[in-house]
Amino acid sequence: MLDMARSEHKRWRLKAITLRGFRGVSGEQTLRFDGFPAILHGNNGTGKSTFSIGLYWVLYGRMPEYVLENKSPDKFLLSVASKEDGYYGEVVFQRDCNEAVFRRDSESKEFTLKLDGKVHKDEKAEAKRDEMLGLDMLTFVRAVLLQQSRIRGLLLDEPKERNQALDRLLGMEPLDVLGDLAKPKEFETAAVAWREKIENERLGLKTEEDLLTKQREDAQEHARELKFLNKDFNPEGLNSAVTALGRALQDTGKKYDVELAPLPKAATVAEADKVCKLAADGIKKIRRDCQLQTRLAPVRVKLTTLNTAKGNLKSAMDQVSDAMLKLKAHTKKHGDAKEQAKRRAELEAKRLAAEEELKAANSLKKLLSDALAFVASREQRQCPVCEQTPPPGTDLAVALKRRVKSLASETVAAKEKAVEEANQRFQDSIKILEQTGLLEKAVSKEREWLDRCRKEAIKAMEAREVPEHKLTSRLDEAISGLEGKEQEIENGLKAMEVDLAAVELKERNIKDGLIPVLKKRDEIADLETRAKRLEKMHEKDEQKAAKMKQIAADIDRIRKAILEAKGELADRSLKRAGPRAQELYEILTRHPLFDTLKIRPTRLKNKVEYSFQVSASGQSGSEREARLVLSDGQMTAAAMGLTYALAETTEHGLDLLYVDDPTQNLDLPSKEAMAKTIAELARRKQIVVATQDEDFVNYLKSEGVPELATFHHFREWDGQPNVESSGIGMKA
Amino acid sequence: MSEATWLLPRILRAEVKLTTSMGVALDKRERESLVPRNTSTLGIVAVLFRCADRQVDGRWLIADPNDYWGEITEAGLHISKEDLLRAECGQPSLREIREYVRTNWKAFLQAFREPALAGLEPLKKELSRLHIDGALRSRLPTYQVLDLDHRKTVSAIISAHGESVAGQIFQALFSYLLASAGYRSVTINTVGVPDVELGEPNGERVGYILGPFSQDEVSRLHSYCEAASDQRMAKQIAAVLEGKSPSENLG
């Protein structure tokens, strides 16, 4: 029996698991298996699972899958009862007389494998481990360390989730990861983006070209209106037009005796612009420096001088004439100066005579007044003046009084008036005489001015002497001659303006007509250069697009190959496990109608789907989707059967099946069937079962498992499991 | 117009095609007419495209049909635009002739735009007269002709005369363009094959197209053989350089 239990020792079996400070083990505890099957049973929370977790951690340094990835391993794996910072584990496998000892230390982060007396560390230990066990971590979880949580997906309603669960059971995760990586769409999108870029840039260039073409056509139309021809719309045409402009400018300069530097050639717009400016300067120079302009200036100066002289002369003559007329009128009215002097003397004499008479009258009046006063005081009968006796009846005083009064009112007044008049006339004669003097002086002054003007006119005419009477006519002749000359020059200038206008028109036409056309032409040429440069870039872009497309195609091929491989692998695994899965299905499920289980992969375009069907003895038409016709318990049993079958048929270096809680969700008959299965398995390989189900333990016992396996009874937990071991291992 | 820098074969035969589609057909007879009889003869096919592809429209694509490419059937050869573009990369011996045509074609067409628009006969007369006078080059504009104007000219000629006559017009233009490189004799076959035969090269730029090698390169090869004392090979190469069969110098 022992030999049976230890059979198949071509492969490694579990000898012992030692844990220290690890989760449910606060100190150090070793669970020995010694290559025998084992049943770990006991209530929940007594530390059974600590050993399956420990096995997994020591071998692979990971936590179980159900622990969230973002949890720190320390928080989960550190002993729950001790305050130690580190934890440690050791797993020993045995094969024949050989041992492989795996150790992992959380503090030193060291992982070692001692094999054949040699210690391998870390990556080397990992490589050696994979080589020795002949499986990777995923396969270990799938084919050795069986947990019921892995089959829960098969019970779910969503086909997608059932598919994923089957993928996991079949170990398809790496292929799915690869399949997820192999996404051609991004590369296809990139290829499209590169080509869109090329198209957009080409479109942009075309739009720009259309716009420039339109602008050039408009410019050409305008240039045609300015008499340019199609053949002129290129650098040669521009040069011809500029050459013609230069020639016209030279000819005009020559015609008007202005020396000009020849205009340079112009094959480009910039050169033509420059030439147009030079031409404009040349035109200005001709206007400024031409002989006509040189000749016109002195003529105009002389003409101005003569006209001024003429004007002055005329004005002076007029003023002399005017002064003389005034003098003449004055002398006509008042006589000449001699007569006026004579008259003045007469009037002076008259004035003096009048004054004498007035003086005499006043003297008489005084005398009479004095006499009256005397008479009045002395009552004289005799006139005190004439010493005559007034006629009788005459009152002397009254007579005197009358006489004084008469003298005062008539004689003296008349005399005074006569004096005043004489005096006035005398004063008038003085004024007239003075006026005559002034008029004579004015005439003299105007004559002097006239004389100066005459001299100036003679000088302006550049003559030596001109008779006075001919002066005006000679001036007129000179002015007329100069005006003729001026007119002649002005006519010449007008003709020059016409010539220059023609040159200016040429220059303007080039500037406004031809240069815009050539500018647009240059812009199109630049655009074409840019387009060529861009085309070269587009060749590279096109290569990139093609490369992206190629990568996308390659990835698609890879993706298809992955799918193909997945389908093939799944098919092969399921075919290999099929008979055993059917056997276990029959034992564990015991369905009265659907006694046949069939799981098949189907390759669709982008995925592999599984049909998990049951049927009545495999009869066609009786197939049903298992999830639809099996109860949860039956489904669990079927899934467990498939899991065991897959695990058993997976080839690797371990002769071990470590099953955690296999009876969850099973009814008693199923548990009994499961116990039979475990017992059957224990007869040919090392199977370790952890369970809290004492019914199941009893079934195992009744199936004779104690003869095949060690029973580790986890009785209680007080910081670490309290384990009581019995069975074959203890006997050995 | 730049001088021809390439070595002119003694006889240059060409099938000259205009197409508004994406390819041309070269029938058996045409293809055979381009098979060189000796090393001093060159046979080419030249195709002018106007197929709404700005990359090739208005350009001559030149290839040697004797150097296999494209699809050969009993009827002859179908040459697509892509075939010709590939041939441009793969037939280095025609590099210089292509470069000559590429450099001068736009200016040449611009120079003869008016007679070409006037018609085939006036054009031929003008080309022939100028060729005889050696004045073809003097007519060429000195400025860079815009691609836009060039494409417009090609379109205008085709619009004015239709594809068939325009094909002959472009044939004449192509012939005299190559003739301007230094050929005295120009034969344009309106009925027979090949379309064009140029001969009597003048000057000293007469040479041979020897597979992918120019005459200069073959001369260097000759000197290397001599330096390496491979007299037999040197004699054979010397024969080729003299326009003879390689075995002729071996006695």
Side-chain angles (χ1 to χ4, degrees):
Chain A
M1 189 62 75
L2 269 173
D3 287 342
M4 275 183 76
R6 281 177 166 169
S7 65
E8 288 195 50
H9 264 44
K10 303 287 180 206
R11 297 198 285 169
W12 294 96
R13 285 190 166 199
L14 185 61
K15 184 174 183 184
I17 300 172
T18 302
L19 300 172
R20 186 171 67 228
F22 188 93
R23 199 159 164 75
V25 178
S26 55
E28 183 175 303
Q29 190 160 9
T30 299
L31 206 58
R32 296 192 64 84
F33 299 93
D34 294 319
F36 292 108
I39 308 298
L40 281 60
H41 64 103
N43 291 336
N44 287 334
T46 51
K48 302 184 295 295
S49 296
T50 293
F51 285 89
S52 65
I53 294 168
L55 170 67
Y56 185 51
W57 178 74
V58 171
L59 287 179
Y60 295 103
R62 300 282 184 93
M63 294 185 289
E65 287 175 341
Y66 55 82
V67 179
L68 292 176
E69 283 181 7
N70 57 2
K71 288 279 180 205
S72 155
D74 289 350
K75 279 189 179 169
F76 186 78
L77 300 178
L78 265 175
S79 164
V80 293
S82 89
K83 290 180 180 172
E84 296 293 321
D85 287 338
Y87 42 96
Y88 166 85
E90 180 186 288
V91 173
V92 184
F93 286 99
Q94 63 179 63
R95 187 175 69 181
D96 297 330
C97 300
N98 297 324
E99 275 189 0
V101 183
F102 293 92
R103 291 192 184 103
R104 192 177 290 274
D105 190 328
S106 73
E107 282 188 305
S108 65
K109 312 272 183 211
E110 201 175 65
F111 172 63
T112 59
L113 165 59
K114 188 178 176 190
L115 182 67
D116 300 331
K118 199 172 174 186
V119 178
H120 305 275
K121 279 188 179 176
D122 299 328
E123 285 92 351
K124 285 182 181 169
E126 285 171 357
K128 200 71 190 168
R129 170 198 67 198
D130 291 347
E131 182 192 329
M132 181 196 121
L133 301 181
L135 43 66
D136 57 13
M137 186 177 73
L138 285 172
T139 314
F140 182 81
V141 172
R142 188 166 57 83
V144 178
L145 190 61
L146 306 185
Q147 284 171 319
Q148 219 192 41
S149 60
R150 288 178 65 84
I151 62 164
R152 277 183 201 142
L154 287 173
L155 309 181
L156 296 173
D157 290 335
E158 277 294 321
K160 190 180 170 189
E161 287 169 324
R162 291 205 297 276
N163 264 321
Q164 282 174 349
L166 268 166
D167 271 342
R168 292 175 69 198
L169 282 180
L170 291 164
M172 295 300 165
E173 290 106 316
L175 287 177
D176 285 341
V177 170
L178 274 178
D180 285 345
L181 286 175
K183 284 184 177 154
K185 197 170 177 194
E186 284 171 21
F187 294 93
E188 276 165 6
T189 310
V192 170
W194 278 115
R195 288 194 171 125
E196 271 177 2
K197 174 186 173 276
I198 294 170
E199 281 310 307
N200 288 341
E201 283 176 351
R202 280 183 180 158
L203 193 66
L205 283 172
K206 177 81 176 66
T207 310
E208 210 176 325
E209 187 190 85
D210 288 348
L211 179 68
L212 285 174
T213 306
K214 174 77 180 64
Q215 288 172 344
R216 186 175 71 152
E217 277 165 10
D218 292 345
Q220 284 176 340
E221 194 54 46
H222 179 59
R224 280 186 205 104
E225 284 167 12
L226 299 176
K227 310 291 178 208
F228 287 107
L229 302 172
N230 285 349
K231 70 180 176 59
D232 299 325
F233 301 150
N234 55 56
E236 279 181 4
L238 179 68
N239 191 38
S240 300
V242 168
T243 307
L245 170 66
R247 210 163 36 235
L249 189 68
Q250 284 292 322
D251 291 349
T252 312
K254 212 171 189 179
K255 187 172 172 184
Y256 296 103
D257 299 321
V258 178
E259 199 174 324
L260 294 170
L263 293 182
K265 284 188 174 182
T268 66
V269 168
E271 287 169 353
D273 261 333
K274 203 171 164 186
V275 169
C276 282
K277 275 186 194 134
L278 289 172
D281 291 346
I283 290 166
K284 276 185 200 161
K285 191 169 189 245
I286 292 172
R287 272 204 184 97
R288 195 182 59 228
D289 298 349
C290 69
Q291 281 297 313
L292 288 171
Q293 213 56 278
T294 319
R295 279 164 56 206
L296 181 64
V299 168
R300 280 192 171 152
V301 169
K302 200 164 183 182
L303 203 53
T304 308
T305 312
L306 285 174
N307 275 322
T308 309
K310 186 186 168 186
N312 287 345
L313 187 64
K314 188 172 179 303
S315 164
M317 285 168 84
D318 287 348
Q319 283 172 7
V320 166
S321 170
D322 192 41
M324 285 184 72
L325 277 174
K326 280 181 186 165
L327 184 62
K328 201 175 173 182
H330 189 73
T331 50
K332 192 179 175 183
K333 189 176 174 183
H334 301 289
D336 61 13
K338 205 174 173 181
E339 287 168 343
Q340 285 173 19
K342 190 181 166 187
R343 192 166 168 198
R344 181 181 150 272
E346 285 170 6
L347 286 170
E348 191 172 13
K350 278 182 184 172
R351 181 181 65 94
L352 289 172
E355 280 176 356
E356 281 302 318
E357 278 178 25
L358 178 61
K359 199 175 172 183
N362 279 330
S363 296
L364 182 60
K365 187 185 162 189
K366 191 173 181 307
L367 186 63
L368 288 173
S369 296
D370 289 347
L372 180 60
F374 185 75
V375 167
S377 65
R378 293 198 187 164
E379 279 193 20
Q380 273 197 320
R381 306 285 180 168
Q382 198 178 357
C383 178
V385 176
C386 59
E387 295 174 350
Q388 290 178 10
T389 306
T394 306
D395 187 347
L396 191 58
V398 171
L400 280 171
K401 204 173 183 178
R402 194 164 51 235
R403 185 70 178 146
V404 169
K405 194 177 175 184
S406 164
L407 267 173
S409 62
E410 292 172 16
T411 311
V412 173
K415 292 296 177 195
E416 278 177 351
K417 193 178 176 188
V419 168
E420 196 179 327
E421 281 173 2
N423 200 30
Q424 185 61 45
R425 276 197 292 274
F426 176 69
Q427 288 301 326
D428 286 348
S429 73
I430 289 171
K431 278 182 186 168
I432 287 165
L433 198 58
E434 278 173 4
Q435 210 171 355
T436 305
L438 284 171
L439 284 170
E440 280 175 350
K441 207 174 174 181
V443 168
S444 170
K445 197 178 165 189
E446 294 303 334
R447 277 188 191 283
E448 276 175 26
W449 168 234
L450 177 63
D451 197 41
R452 275 207 305 278
C453 289
R454 197 179 292 131
K455 281 177 183 166
E456 272 176 21
I458 291 166
K459 193 181 170 189
M461 283 190 290
E462 295 172 352
R464 279 186 185 168
E465 195 57 49
V466 179
E468 195 176 333
H469 65 280
K470 288 185 179 175
L471 190 56
T472 311
S473 62
R474 290 282 292 277
L475 260 178
D476 286 341
E477 277 171 23
I479 287 170
S480 166
L482 278 176
E483 279 175 346
K485 216 171 190 176
E486 185 190 32
Q487 187 60 47
E488 184 196 331
I489 294 170
E490 277 178 349
N491 287 342
L493 283 171
K494 275 181 192 162
M496 184 185 79
E497 280 305 322
V498 172
D499 291 342
L500 289 178
V503 179
E504 271 176 332
L505 185 65
K506 274 187 202 297
E507 182 257 347
R508 205 166 47 242
N509 284 352
I510 291 173
K511 213 159 63 183
D512 299 343
L514 209 48
I515 286 179
V517 173
L518 269 293
K519 271 185 182 164
K520 287 295 153 197
R521 188 185 188 281
D522 285 354
E523 284 177 37
I524 294 172
D526 287 346
L527 181 72
E528 286 182 354
T529 309
R530 197 146 43 91
K532 277 180 186 134
R533 218 166 32 233
L534 218 50
E535 266 316 313
K536 279 190 181 159
M537 282 169 64
H538 285 168
E539 280 173 23
K540 287 180 187 167
D541 291 347
E542 181 52 46
Q543 283 170 6
K544 285 176 193 162
K547 198 172 177 182
M548 292 295 120
K549 194 86 187 152
Q550 184 59 48
I551 291 172
D554 290 346
I555 288 176
D556 198 46
R557 273 203 298 280
I558 291 167
R559 191 183 59 81
K560 282 177 182 160
I562 290 169
L563 269 180
E564 193 69 42
K566 185 178 170 183
E568 204 172 303
L569 275 173
D571 191 45
R572 209 182 295 163
S573 296
L574 288 169
K575 272 184 182 158
R576 203 166 47 223
R580 178 65 175 155
Q582 172 62 32
E583 193 183 329
L584 290 173
Y585 172 73
E586 284 173 30
I587 296 168
L588 296 173
T589 311
R590 306 170 325 282
H591 199 283
L593 183 60
F594 297 108
D595 58 358
T596 308
L597 174 70
K598 195 151 199 177
I599 306 158
R600 270 184 309 219
T602 310
R603 230 213 85 195
L604 302 176
K605 193 182 173 194
N606 292 317
K607 58 183 177 181
V608 173
E609 274 190 359
Y610 304 96
S611 62
F612 197 102
Q613 291 182 326
V614 289
S615 64
S617 306
Q619 288 170 9
S620 66
S622 67
E623 293 97 347
R624 296 281 188 281
E625 175 65 45
R627 185 71 194 89
L628 300 178
V629 295
L630 299 185
S631 69
D632 278 359
Q634 288 169 326
M635 196 65 198
T636 305
M640 289 295 288
L642 173 65
T643 310
Y644 291 174
L646 285 169
E648 284 181 50
T649 52
T650 302
E651 289 178 2
H652 52 82
L654 283 176
D655 185 30
L656 171 68
L657 209 55
Y658 197 121
V659 187
D660 193 9
D661 202 4
T663 57
Q664 217 181 74
N665 222 15
L666 297 184
D667 56 12
L668 284 174
S670 296
K671 286 178 187 175
E672 192 178 354
M674 181 59 83
K676 284 184 197 298
T677 305
I678 298 293
E680 184 265 321
L681 278 169
R683 285 187 180 89
R684 51 189 175 85
K685 67 190 297 153
Q686 186 185 23
I687 180 161
V688 178
V689 176
T691 180
Q692 92 295 350
D693 188 341
E694 287 305 321
D695 290 339
F696 177 56
V697 174
N698 289 333
Y699 282 130
L700 287 170
K701 284 177 179 169
S702 64
E703 288 298 326
V705 174
E707 298 300 315
L708 305 164
T710 309
F711 277 67
H712 296 293
H713 186 197
F714 285 63
R715 301 182 70 82
E716 57 183 10
W717 183 82
D718 57 355
Q720 64 184 50
N722 181 354
V723 183
E724 186 182 288
S725 302
S726 61
I728 194 165
M730 296 303 105
K731 291 174 192 168
Chain B
M1 189 173 191
S2 58
E3 288 277 323
T5 55
W6 44 288
L7 299 167
L8 305 179
R10 288 197 186 282
I11 294 169
L12 177 60
R13 295 173 154 205
E15 276 296 319
V16 184
K17 310 274 182 189
L18 165 72
T19 182
T20 52
S21 67
M22 302 305 273
V24 292
L26 199 65
D27 65 32
K28 199 175 172 186
R29 197 172 62 112
E30 289 172 326
R31 187 164 178 250
E32 281 171 2
S33 74
L34 301 178
V35 175
R37 293 171 203 147
N38 50 50
T39 54
S40 59
T41 303
L42 176 67
I44 59 168
V45 60
V47 184
L48 181 69
F49 279 91
R50 190 242 189 183
C51 57
D53 178 351
R54 290 161 65 87
Q55 309 315 311
V56 295
D57 272 3
R59 267 179 66 192
W60 286 105
L61 295 183
I62 299 168
D64 180 356
N66 302 300
D67 187 3
Y68 170 77
W69 42 264
E71 180 195 343
I72 297 177
T73 63
E74 268 301 303
L77 193 63
H78 178 264
I79 309 167
S80 71
K81 183 181 75 182
E82 285 71 26
D83 291 334
L84 284 162
L85 286 170
R86 269 197 304 280
E88 282 209 327
C89 305
Q91 294 178 342
S93 58
L94 297 185
R95 193 174 53 230
E96 286 160 324
I97 190 170
R98 284 189 193 112
E99 187 59 21
Y100 182 80
V101 171
R102 191 192 64 77
T103 312
N104 297 298
W105 166 234
K106 282 199 293 179
F108 199 83
L109 178 62
Q110 181 67 19
F112 296 100
R113 183 181 188 276
E114 297 311 320
L117 284 169
L120 179 61
E121 288 314 313
L123 174 71
K124 275 186 169 176
K125 207 178 279 181
E126 179 82 344
L127 288 169
S128 172
R129 183 180 65 76
L130 290 168
H131 180 235
I132 290 164
D133 295 347
L136 276 172
R137 289 183 187 180
S138 66
R139 289 286 292 272
L140 267 56
T142 52
Y143 56 87
Q144 178 83 29
V145 178
L146 295 179
D147 289 344
L148 176 77
D149 291 342
H150 178 68
R151 286 195 302 271
K152 274 188 178 176
T153 304
V154 172
S155 298
I157 292 169
I158 296 171
S159 299
H161 304 293
E163 202 174 325
S164 173
V165 176
Q168 293 178 54
I169 285 173
F170 287 118
Q171 203 174 66
L173 285 165
F174 183 77
S175 308
Y176 282 96
L177 169 63
L178 283 185
S180 69
Y183 286 102
R184 279 191 289 268
S185 153
V186 180
T187 310
I188 300 174
N189 296 314
T190 47
V191 183
V193 289
D195 289 336
V196 178
E197 185 166 311
L198 303 173
E200 299 176 36
N202 53 20
E204 292 177 354
R205 298 186 317 278
V206 180
Y208 317 94
I209 304 299
L210 299 162
F213 302 114
S214 70
Q215 190 180 19
D216 287 343
E217 287 166 336
V218 176
S219 296
R220 274 160 58 202
L221 194 58
H222 176 252
S223 60
Y224 296 152
C225 288
E226 281 193 327
S229 304
D230 188 344
Q231 295 307 328
R232 185 181 167 82
M233 181 63 81
K235 279 180 183 174
Q236 285 178 304
I237 295 172
V240 172
L241 285 168
E242 288 159 18
K244 296 187 281 190
S245 157
S247 57
E248 277 184 56
N249 277 8
L250 295 176

